[in-house]
Amino acid sequence: KQEVTQIPAALSVPEGENLVLNCSFTDSAIYNLQWFRQDPGKGLTSLLLIQSSQREQTSGRLNASLDKSSGRSTLYIAASQPGDSATYLCAVMDTDKLIFGTGTRLQVFP
Amino acid sequence: EPEVTQTPSHQVTQMGQEVILRCVPISNHLYFYWYRQILGQKVEFLVSFYNNEISEKSEIFDDQFSVERPDGSNFTLKIRSTKLEDSAMYFCASSLSRGSDTQYFGPGTRLTVL
């Protein structure tokens, strides 16, 4: 059974720092991996999708990597801003469904 | 930019009552999903739907739950007899294809069962 874990559970950093969020999964047979952002009490905003055949995806200040063989993905956020404060969720696609991690709650303070 | 919409944003109901949560997926999408998130817990898959049929469902999706696409635009989740433990945020999602495509999520419906 696929399990998705994210560390750290929470992170508080000053504005401007580069940071790395980690996601690990137990079964490497995935279709893709998505990173989402969730603001308190709100829906999920898709940030990046990495296909299982890809190693990396970039969007603006965000870069996500995927190492299927080791069951890991990282989300790199460059030059963090207070507006980046949110919970970041990693999810792996298993046939027809996304399996989510518990998320990393990020706070960026000015 | 097209988006998934959900109504209502918040629904309060008494235990044992039936509720219907509504979603309008992105118009050219073919695959539809329901997920839920109990407060403080992970987002969990409930059901996927394609070509007017359930394609996969989780253990959570028991006989109390049903889904329907009553017309060309709406996708609904019905809970027949709500329990206290059904209180959660329910998210609808849609995608163009299966497996390889981004799933786009709606803003959610917060269901409170009293």
Side-chain angles (χ1 to χ4, degrees):
Chain A
K1 184 185 167 187
Q2 180 75 268
E3 297 281 346
V4 182
T5 306
Q6 291 186 247
I7 54 171
L11 189 58
S12 183
V13 299
E15 183 176 6
E17 271 204 12
N18 302 322
L19 46 100
V20 175
L21 309 182
N22 296 290
C23 171
S24 60
F25 47 95
T26 53
D27 185 347
S28 61
I30 63 172
Y31 282 80
N32 62 49
L33 185 145
Q34 279 187 250
W35 282 94
F36 292 88
R37 169 187 173 135
Q38 184 175 30
D39 293 283
K42 305 286 186 185
L44 308 177
T45 302
S46 180
L47 297 173
L48 288 164
L49 178 143
I50 313 179
Q51 301 291 354
S52 62
S53 57
Q54 295 177 318
R55 301 280 295 186
E56 202 172 318
Q57 274 290 343
T58 298
S59 175
R61 294 183 293 109
L62 304 179
N63 175 277
S65 67
L66 175 64
D67 183 344
K68 259 183 52 171
S69 60
S70 67
R72 292 179 196 276
S73 176
T74 60
L75 179 68
Y76 175 83
I77 303 177
S80 57
Q81 302 170 356
D84 294 330
S85 299
T87 296
Y88 290 80
L89 301 176
C90 155
V92 299
M93 173 70 80
D94 175 1
T95 56
D96 224 1
K97 61 184 181 286
L98 286 169
I99 300 171
F100 284 82
T102 44
T104 294
R105 189 181 309 162
L106 172 66
Q107 184 182 9
V108 181
F109 54 90
Chain B
E1 185 176 319
E3 57 183 21
V4 177
T5 59
Q6 290 185 243
T7 54
S9 56
H10 192 187
Q11 172 99 43
V12 181
T13 190
Q14 295 290 326
M15 192 169 56
Q17 294 297 303
E18 174 183 288
V19 294
I20 297 176
L21 309 183
R22 291 184 166 80
C23 168
V24 178
I26 294 172
S27 62
N28 62 336
H29 284 185
L30 302 174
Y31 292 81
F32 314 111
Y33 311 86
W34 284 100
Y35 294 82
R36 79 172 186 190
Q37 186 177 33
I38 294 170
L39 190 63
Q41 297 188 21
K42 290 186 183 187
V43 177
E44 304 171 286
F45 168 78
L46 292 177
V47 66
S48 58
F49 191 85
Y50 168 71
N51 201 25
N52 279 321
E53 286 185 347
I54 290 175
S55 27
E56 188 171 348
K57 60 183 181 179
S58 70
E59 316 86 60
I60 303 166
F61 195 88
D62 61 21
D63 292 344
Q64 293 297 316
F65 291 87
S66 62
V67 288
E68 195 179 26
R69 189 152 161 82
D71 53 42
S73 57
N74 290 284
F75 179 50
T76 62
L77 174 69
K78 183 193 291 187
I79 309 175
R80 220 177 318 278
S81 177
T82 49
K83 307 184 187 79
L84 294 176
E85 55 265 36
D86 293 328
S87 295
M89 184 78 102
Y90 287 80
F91 294 109
C92 173
S94 68
S95 65
L96 190 54
S97 66
R98 184 187 185 206
S100 59
D101 261 339
T102 301
Q103 288 189 17
Y104 293 90
F105 280 70
T109 292
R110 180 168 299 285
L111 177 64
T112 303
V113 183
L114 304 175

